[in-house]
Amino acid sequence: APPLAPPLAPPLAPPPAAAERTIGHVVSALRGFFRSITLGAHLEQSLQDLLRLLTLWFRYGGDARVDAALSDGFALVHVDTWLLVIPQIIARINAPQPRVRKAVQNLLLTVGRLHPQALIYPLAVASHESRPRREAERSTAASPRPDGRQAAAATSLPLFSMGRISHAEATLTMMRAHCDTLVEQALLVSNELIRVAILWPEQWHESLEQAYRRYFEQPHAGEPRGIESTLAVLAPLYARLEAGASTAHEADFVAAYAADLRSALAHCHEFRLSGDEAQLQAAWTRFYEVLRQLGRQLQQARTLQLRDVSPRLLKATNLEIAVPGTYRANAPVVAIRSFAPAIRVMSSKQRPRKLAVTGDDGVEYVFLLKGHEDLRQDERVMQLFGLVNRLLGSTAPLAGPAIRRYAVVPLSPASGLIGWVPSCDTLHQLVRHHRESRGVPLYLEHRIAAQLAPEPKRGGDGGDGGGGLAEGGELRAYNALPLLHRVEVFAAALSRTGGRDLAEALWLRSPSAEWWLERRSSYTRSVGVMCVVGYILGLGDRHLNNMLLDRVSGEVVHIDYGDCFEAAALRPRFPETVPFRLTRMLVTAMGVAGVDGVYRSTCEGAMRALRRHRSSVLAMLEAFLYDPLVHWNLDGAERGSAKRVSSRASLDGGEARGGAARGDKVMHAQALRVLRRVKSKLDGSEFGAAPIDVPTQVDRLVHEAQAHTNLAQMWGGWNPFW
């Protein structure tokens, strides 16, 4: 395989002769890739060649000879092939080079004529991008300043995002010529699902909290009491409030809170004009009362009726558009028949919704509708797992297990759908149920550690009798100990408990010994495969709520891929010190052989397969890292309340302004660091200059994952004792 193309333009232009030679090599490489793709027996086998081709296209496509070679190649490749890389192509719909931009749009239109269902949701995402920012500009511009002039926009929409929106909308407009009904239905469904994902009470609660932080916690130079920043946060919400309610749920919000919110805004304007602190205090009295009532309301909300939150979605029946995530080329389209009338609100912090859609095949498809989160990153990870499954499938010992994938359908940069994984429980739920049924405290090991490392008692602090044990199993005094003492406490807590909860749950939930043996084998293999793949990907945050167990097969299914490329190991507070999760409960559930039986052979087989196909893995990871739409949190920054929401498209339009794929030298350096790190893992040289063989590499990783020195440094919510 040819070497990976450099992802970014070099800082200095090469000499003319060198540039000519480079273009000649690029044209030859493109012809080779097109030839390889057309000769591929299966579409999935062409994925790595497609990604390399895209890298060369987006890097050198501005040259006329490269553009001509691409045009010739497009005529040779079947249209279905491009369905594998639709997210990557749409990400470049506003490429800075005119030739690349025109070729991308032409290719999308060609695909759209044969497979409009495959394009409709991704294009809708691009058309929704930065909508809140546009609303903020309009509402902020209309807000009067103390001097009578209109305020400048608090935030400016990047040229990059504006271009992406206009090109996505232009493509949708051209698609209307042959599938107008489909486009209308897609926009209806995506708009209404976005509405349901984050309702007005949640939007106001989050924005008031943000405004509160800006007002009380952040200094504002040249801005009295941060009033302009506070109003900038609330401006888009006030614009929607004044536009009027469009659903019964929004009408209830207006009736309950509109008077207080308008009164608070009037006090803010009075403060801007007069500078009277009493006006600002009166405003925040109103704001805080609304914030308090909204918090109580959100805690009590468990079910939403579709007739109240989205009557248009309830009336949307017998549609032409496919159920999200079900479209496959050359397969019958499963269209949406109806949406379930009730939606369940989950109790987690972001309050995702459990939504059911009935297809015209009579099957009920269940999704998790998430707000406050950009799911395009999870979508890319699912693509990677598709490649990994194919690579592992060619390895005989691993022909059975594969990484469980599920549908991920972004709807906007801040919301999307995730296919519900049926018949699964989180490992945390299994342990909780097992301990509660036997009267064992859920955080028994944490209590023992808190007793061995007690926190000094404080006046008025009743605590829970566990010394330094806080809610959720967090240990205050234990975390303050020197590492050597912490390791001693950690080992003592383990020695006083059995840690067989997961193993016993597997046994008790199996109807027969044969079924238990089969489930245990599937469990062990799935844990081994994901340990290796997660290690290569740098996947973190593997606490027991992000790991599910299939009740039927025993397979472990992972969710939430927000911390990739070792972001969790780089974060400033409680950095992760283990390569993957291999705690004692997981090992005990593998049976008497522990890590030395099926688990080790599975890990070694998976590592051999990935090392054998390292160039394919690196090609895909490179395409992901330089995707202008996805922010991978490569610096390990803490994730806030609206985690992984890409509020800046490609780092505030760096691509459009600088003409580079990222337009940011820091991001470029971080991406190169990640690629070098992944390459060293695939070469077996991450522990030193000399590469080591697969068994030695796996043995060292297993040792690090189980070392008490590493586990004792983990965050308490990760449950290292389990």
Side-chain angles (χ1 to χ4, degrees), residues 242-308:
E242 297 307 319
S246 56
T247 68
H249 190 272
E250 292 174 359
D252 291 341
F253 178 89
V254 172
Y257 304 109
D260 284 338
L261 292 173
R262 288 172 179 145
S263 175
L265 182 62
H267 285 300
C268 288
H269 288 325
E270 285 294 327
F271 171 76
R272 294 167 75 184
L273 293 171
S274 65
D276 185 2
E277 287 283 340
Q279 295 292 335
L280 195 58
Q281 292 294 333
W284 269 106
T285 299
R286 301 270 188 174
F287 280 143
Y288 184 77
E289 179 61 23
V290 172
L291 181 64
R292 187 180 62 83
Q293 293 181 20
L294 286 176
R296 189 164 54 243
Q297 175 185 337
L298 293 176
Q299 289 179 354
Q300 297 172 352
R302 289 294 176 264
T303 304
L304 300 173
Q305 297 300 323
L306 204 56
R307 66 175 182 271
D308 297 329

Side-chain angles (χ1 to χ4, degrees), residues 400-428:
I403 301 173
R404 177 81 67 89
R405 297 196 298 163
Y406 45 82
V408 178
V409 184
L411 297 171
S412 77
S415 60
L417 293 168
I418 294 180
W420 189 268
V421 184
S423 304
C424 287
D425 300 301
T426 68
L427 298 188
H428 191 276

